[in-house]
């Protein structure tokens, strides 16, 4: 009998499992169910579609249902999973078009249901033109509204809000970002969050406001129930044409809360390094799973498209009988605000203290190329290392210079717990168009090492 | 009594020792002797000065003699070292202006005499307008000649020739590169050398020739003894206005060949990880020293400005009583041909076989950003790993995409002997403007791992 693999979820991870599994094994039945009317697209590209750097939403589609069908993968659109019966090995599904409910049997089940936006408890949250951004449909609605608007309010100071701010600034809107916390981009140390804020404000003075310590308590609408005003606890009233909620996401796992599949942090699904859940024959991949942080050695939940893709690939190899271990993550994130790169890897200084390390840090602001080369850009790096072990715990990098290269240079060193004394003399390739003779990231390591060694 | 440190050599490494040593220790006498009339400049920037991306040669100067004097460092220009007496602890010097010879006593000696061009044994090599490029003076002469010339011949297919080719193409010269070997850029595998050649030729068809297997046997001059023709063993006669010899360099150590300071490969100076030579109280840094290759675990000689700077800094710390170990190099090199990056780290596939590894490789050609982002560039990576240990041995990268980031991502993994199975799922930060969801360098690792695991 042909083995039947059922995949629930059509974002990044689910389709990745399907495609890779088919390449690994031709004699297997693969059925993918998704509640959307589209599959396999890059949600991370939505801000650039809204900005209109990418003109058509179809550009974000990686593979169409037809592409999958050609590979012998059955795609079922508009089918929502409402529960899993692990004893009967069945999935309960709801056809969103016909309203029919039915059960599907599986031999192997892969849960890849992703994450959903958190809707904050604010008065009049149901007014029109208050959006979240998660699906292509969301992106199309926001873009349409943006094109006829002058003013927008963004709630929450995470990466999505920064990326949407670029989109809206680029399209000449007046943008206000409201953050409940005392800083935007909570994963960064406060000094770096401030530098980022200063850059964003300084780039378009008058067009952009970033207000921290501002909790939104109510929206006000017009006679058509369209949002027109945002009201904060401190009494500010901000006029707007629309609102985007960037107030976080949570694992999309409500449908298995009462199952016997073990959940972890924030109700994400607990998986081992092979991406198996606590139940035999059930895998989970992507934004709905928990993550093991290789710096802190603790479980965390960091939904990322890159992790989803790697987990999907890995799970497919394991389902096909191969061996792939997904060892964990380093909380690696990056975003762009026009030419300004914003990135953090590992843990911040404040987190290092919280987690019981004895951190030391160095901040360097340097040009990214030999100083005499034209078009060199400035960047600021904050490297954090542990005084006891001399290992690197994290790096924060911002600036118009090539931050990403420096960040990536540190990542394998964090993974392998390379000591500062080895890292600071690392043989990075040098030529004036690419870096100074001693790369800034090595300068930072040298400075910490000298601080630690007194 | 104040300790007296004598430094010989004024390129990159010597001045670095002086400056860092002064910062570490204020109560020490530092005397630096150089045979040039200038110190502390970036020789690696000379091709960009010739190209006229940098207009003035002074731009390449990092610190002037006056800067050093202000720090209490005595700079002695135009003073050539002719020998070292390790028993008497003296250095023999020749004043190139007055012709006077004299001896200088040292407590600590640092040899930083760099490398000198190899002049090939070719008929009429002494004709006018046959240049080497090592010093600022060389650069000024070549640039002057270029500005009134139409045709140039480059001998040797190393990085310097590639960089000068860009300079000359940019200045509308007809360029012919002649390489004795069957490929340019010998450190690369043949397939990559061919891809690089194809790119260079294809970019400016008709303006550039790259001829391999072509040994130059003679030059011909005019009545003014100016070179006018280059003649190869195969019988080719190439008209030219001038010639640049990119036929390699050797350690500048002739003056100590008969001393008791131990020499290593190619007569480079043997140093330990603290940069000490075989003689107590004598250090050596920069292009005149040997290097320990951390991939092959053998001594090699790879003169690089980045290594010179790191060694200089490290030696200064050790001289000042601190501790800095320079563990070795990874043969990391990079260069640019217009927008095309050319880089290799570790060892090539052919070298891996020569050194007794059991190599496997993967070649990937991918876009450097999410495929739907504008301005993404293509690049080709060749990753090499050892079948027995699953460790990465090297990577070659070329293309208009961001090769350098991928190269740098591999370097710490080579250093720490990270296994492919860990590296291939490395948590690199992802956002569409920076990379595809799974970075191409991880694709390459995944492919090798699957090849090895069957």
């Amino acid at each position: 009998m042909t083995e039947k693999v059922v995949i629930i979820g059509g974002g990044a991870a689910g389709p990745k499992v399907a495609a890779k599994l088919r390449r690994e094994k031709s004699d297997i039945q693969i059925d993918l169910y998704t509640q959307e009317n589209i599959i396999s697209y890059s949600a991370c590209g939505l801000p650039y579609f809204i900005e209109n750097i990418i003109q058509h939403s179809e550009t974000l589609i990686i593979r169409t249902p037809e592409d999958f069908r050609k590979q012998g993968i059955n795609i079922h659109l508009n089918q929502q999973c409402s529960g899993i019966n692990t004893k009967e090995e069945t999935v309960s599904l709801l056809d969103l078009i016909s309203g029919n409910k039915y059960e599907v049997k599986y031999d192997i089940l892969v849960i890849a249901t992703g994450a959903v936006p958190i809707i904050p408890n604010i008065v009049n949250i149901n007014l029109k033109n208050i959006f979240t951004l998660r699906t292509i449909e969301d992106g199309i609605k926001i873009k349409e509204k943006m094109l006829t608007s002058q003013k927008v309010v963004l709630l929450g100071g995470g990466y999505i809000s920064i990326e949407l701010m670029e989109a809206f600034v680029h399209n000449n809107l007046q943008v206000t970002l409201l953050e409940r916390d005392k800083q935007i981009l909570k994963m960064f140390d406060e000094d770096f969050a401030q530098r980022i804020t200063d850059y964003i404000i300084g780039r378009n003075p008058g067009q952009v406001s970033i207000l921290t310590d501002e909790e939104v308590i109510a929206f006000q609408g017009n006679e058509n129930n369209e949002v027109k005003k945002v009201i904060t606890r401190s009494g500010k009233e901000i006029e707007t044409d629309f609102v985007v909620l960037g107030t976080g996401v949570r694992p999309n796992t409500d449908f298995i809360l009462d199952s016997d599949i073990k959940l972890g942090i924030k109700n994400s699904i607990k998986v081992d390094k092979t991406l198996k859940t606590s139940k035999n024959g059930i895998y989970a991949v992507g934004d709905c799973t928990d993550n093991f942080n290789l710096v802190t050695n603790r479980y965390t939940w960091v939904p990322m498209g890159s992790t989803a893709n790697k987990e999907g690939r890995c799970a497919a190899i394991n389902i096909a009988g191969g061996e792939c271990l997904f060892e964990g993550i380093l909380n690696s994130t990056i975003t762009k605000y026009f030419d300004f790169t914003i990135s953090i890897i590992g843990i911040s200084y404040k987190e290092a203290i919280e987690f019981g390390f004895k951190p030391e840090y160095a901040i360097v602001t340097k040009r990214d190329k030999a100083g005499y080369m034209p078009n060199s850009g400035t960047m600021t790096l904050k490297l954090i290392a542990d005084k006891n072990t001399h290992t690197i715990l994290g790096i924060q990098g911002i600036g118009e210079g090539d931050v990403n290269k420096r960040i990536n240079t540190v990542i394998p060193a964090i993974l392998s717990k390379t000591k500062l004394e080895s890292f600071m003399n690392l043989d990075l390739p040098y030529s004036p168009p690419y870096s100074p003779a001693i790369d800034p990231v090595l300068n930072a390591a040298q400075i910490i090492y000298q601080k630690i060694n007194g």
Side-chain angles (χ1 to χ4, degrees), chain A:
Chain A
M1 204 190 73
T2 311
E3 208 176 19
K4 181 175 174 186
V5 176
V6 169
I7 301 166
I8 318 247
K16 186 79 186 176
V17 172
K20 179 69 179 165
L21 185 54
R22 174 54 76 229
R23 278 200 295 278
E24 296 287 309
K25 247 186 146 169
S26 56
D27 62 337
I28 201 170
Q29 183 183 333
I30 306 174
D31 282 88
L32 187 150
Y33 297 84
T34 174
Q35 63 186 33
E36 290 188 67
N37 59 6
I38 191 173
I39 58 158
S40 185
Y41 61 91
S42 172
C44 304
L46 288 169
Y48 307 101
F49 161 67
I50 294 169
E51 184 167 357
N52 218 20
I53 288 176
I54 300 163
Q55 294 185 326
H56 306 291
S57 64
E58 297 77 28
T59 309
L60 296 178
I61 295 170
I62 300 157
R63 287 189 208 87
T64 63
E66 191 48 37
D67 294 334
F68 283 99
R69 282 180 196 124
K70 279 183 193 153
Q71 287 184 278
I73 296 162
N74 308 309
I75 301 295
H76 310 269
L77 301 177
N78 305 303
Q79 308 298 311
Q80 186 174 41
C81 179
S82 53
I84 296 168
N85 185 330
T86 60
K87 275 159 211 79
E88 301 292 326
E89 299 193 331
T90 57
V91 175
S92 303
L93 289 153
L94 167 67
D95 187 322
L96 296 173
I97 308 291
S98 68
N100 288 342
K101 289 182 181 175
Y102 59 105
E103 312 278 301
V104 165
K105 187 112 181 77
Y106 63 80
D107 296 315
I108 301 281
L109 176 66
V110 182
I111 308 172
T113 45
V116 286
I118 295 171
I119 307 299
N121 188 12
I122 299 175
V123 174
N124 290 329
I125 189 81
N126 290 320
L127 285 174
K128 286 179 195 163
N129 300 329
I130 298 179
F131 303 103
T132 56
L133 177 59
R134 190 77 199 162
T135 65
I136 282 200
E137 216 170 326
D138 296 336
I140 291 169
K141 283 183 198 160
I142 293 172
K143 188 172 187 170
E144 271 175 12
K145 184 65 193 165
M146 174 193 77
L147 291 171
T148 59
S149 297
Q150 277 82 51
K151 294 187 290 291
V152 60
V153 170
L154 292 162
L155 252 65
Y159 277 157
I160 292 251
S161 291
I162 302 295
E163 291 165 7
L164 285 176
M165 187 175 275
E166 173 183 308
F168 297 148
V169 166
H170 195 180
N171 285 276
N172 302 313
L173 273 71
Q174 186 76 29
V175 187
T176 305
L177 186 152
L178 299 174
E179 166 59 51
R180 197 170 57 172
D181 215 331
K182 67 177 177 186
Q183 71 173 68
I184 61 166
L185 300 172
K186 267 176 271 193
M187 55 287 212
F188 284 83
D189 284 321
E190 203 178 337
D191 57 336
F192 262 55
Q194 191 57 52
R195 285 167 189 259
I196 296 164
T197 301
D198 293 346
Y199 179 83
I200 293 172
I201 299 294
R203 189 184 187 281
N204 300 84
Q207 194 185 346
V208 169
S209 306
I210 295 181
L211 305 177
T212 53
D213 275 322
E214 287 288 359
E215 189 181 0
V216 174
I217 54 166
F219 298 107
Q220 277 180 14
N222 62 10
E223 63 283 3
N224 297 323
N225 284 327
E226 295 164 333
V227 69
K228 282 292 158 195
K229 208 176 262 185
V230 179
I231 298 165
T232 72
R233 189 172 297 284
S234 74
K236 288 204 175 61
E237 300 196 0
I238 301 150
E239 292 192 359
T240 194
D241 297 321
F242 68 109
V243 170
V244 184
L245 303 174
T247 40
V249 291
R250 61 186 180 82
N252 183 17
T253 55
D254 288 354
F255 65 101
I256 52 165
L257 290 185
D258 58 0
S259 82
D260 51 359
I261 298 168
K262 200 172 165 191
L263 299 180
I265 184 166
K266 294 183 183 178
N267 282 340
S268 60
I269 302 170
K270 272 220 97 40
V271 289
D272 66 14
K273 289 181 184 178
T274 66
L275 286 321
K276 274 190 194 118
T277 68
S278 62
K279 294 304 290 180
N280 218 9
I282 304 184
Y283 291 76
V285 292
D287 289 357
C288 62
T289 72
D290 67 352
N291 306 106
F292 186 70
N293 183 316
L294 294 164
V295 178
T296 62
N297 287 326
R298 299 190 204 192
Y299 284 91
T300 179
W301 185 65
V302 183
M304 287 297 298
S306 46
T307 303
N309 271 280
K310 286 170 202 152
E311 288 184 345
R313 182 183 174 277
C314 228
I317 290 171
N318 292 324
I319 293 168
E323 187 181 294
C324 182
L325 299 182
F326 188 80
E327 297 173 358
I329 64 162
L330 298 167
N331 284 15
S332 303
T333 60
I334 191 165
T335 196
K336 190 175 80 66
Y337 185 74
F338 293 100
D339 293 330
F340 195 80
T341 296
I342 299 166
S343 183
I344 179 167
I345 308 297
I347 55 178
S348 64
Y349 186 80
K350 69 185 173 195
E351 282 177 312
I353 289 171
E354 283 164 25
F355 280 108
F357 292 100
K358 297 267 177 255
E360 185 57 88
Y361 72 93
I363 296 178
V364 296
T365 298
K366 297 259 179 188
R367 300 234 144 224
D368 63 347
K369 304 184 171 89
Y372 50 79
M373 291 299 285
N375 306 322
S376 68
T378 298
M379 62 187 176
T380 301
L381 304 173
K382 181 173 186 174
L383 190 69
I384 294 139
D386 183 47
K387 284 182 202 171
N388 292 338
T389 60
H390 293 197
T391 56
I392 300 170
L393 300 174
I395 182 168
Q396 294 160 68
I398 54 175
E400 293 168 319
D402 185 351
V403 166
N404 194 178
K405 182 170 75 175
R406 279 67 193 197
I407 294 284
N408 274 29
T409 306
V410 169
I411 293 173
I414 297 181
L415 179 76
S416 62
K417 305 196 187 304
T418 305
K419 284 181 188 291
L420 283 172
E421 39 270 60
S422 292
F423 184 80
M424 71 184 185
N425 285 322
L426 192 62
D427 189 12
L428 301 177
Y430 161 60
S431 176
Y434 296 98
S435 75
I438 297 185
D439 193 273
V441 77
L442 303 185
N443 292 141
Q446 292 168 350
I447 292 168
I448 301 186
Y449 183 69
Q450 286 216 308
K451 276 185 170 183
I452 291 175
N453 263 30

